[in-house]
Amino acid sequence: MTESLQQRFESIAPRVNADARLVHRGRYLNADLKVVLGEVPYLLSIRSGRVESLSRQMPLFAPATLTIRAAEAAWEALWEPVPQAGWHDLFALTKRGAMGIEGDSQLLFAHLQYLKDVLAAPRQARGAH
């Protein structure tokens, strides 16, 4: 995985936690997500709408409420400053077969906009590194 892609993804925690409106929107979410960028898995822990931790160190058999995976190219396309149609959203990427989402669908739909905004946060990091 490219260093830039990794750095951009790892920028999620400070960006989300600094956004009071986004934290408020996710205030009822407590979940551990496995997010896979290419071949690299991350464990993203969210507590009361705040990113509690983001780690590349996946404990063996780490429980995850949701798993979201995509190739590096799909994440790069999602994080473009203005993504192209069909590459702009988790569901658009899933529909085109570029992303997979597995796990608790009730949790996904209950917190959909929050999760979409959290996973789009690296879009803001473009050019910051």
Side-chain angles (χ1 to χ4, degrees):
M1 174 170 44
T2 64
E3 188 68 24
S4 174
L5 186 68
Q6 179 181 352
Q7 289 173 337
R8 287 173 62 199
F9 183 68
E10 292 173 0
S11 76
I12 283 178
R15 290 178 182 283
V16 169
N17 294 343
D19 186 336
R21 292 178 73 182
L22 185 56
V23 170
H24 180 75
R25 184 180 305 133
R27 67 192 176 277
Y28 299 118
L29 179 60
N30 294 298
D32 294 316
L33 312 177
K34 182 178 178 182
V35 181
V36 184
L37 281 66
E39 300 295 319
V40 180
Y42 282 86
L43 185 61
L44 175 61
S45 295
I46 298 170
R47 299 293 176 265
S48 300
R50 297 183 56 79
V51 175
E52 182 177 82
S53 65
L54 175 65
S55 175
R56 285 184 63 183
Q57 304 299 319
M58 293 286 296
L60 189 59
F61 304 114
T65 311
L66 284 173
T67 299
I68 302 169
R69 66 179 73 243
E72 290 179 33
W75 290 109
E76 286 283 0
L78 176 67
W79 296 337
E80 284 295 317
V82 180
Q84 294 181 12
W87 296 94
H88 65 287
D89 176 85
L90 300 181
F91 282 145
L93 288 165
T94 301
K95 182 178 179 181
R96 73 174 28 242
M99 179 174 279
I101 302 174
E102 304 166 359
D104 184 344
S105 60
Q106 191 280 329
L107 180 125
L108 173 67
F109 289 110
H111 301 282
L112 183 59
Q113 190 60 55
Y114 172 82
L115 292 170
K116 288 165 72 170
D117 290 346
V118 167
L119 292 174
R123 190 177 291 159
Q124 302 167 7
R126 189 97 187 171
H129 298 285

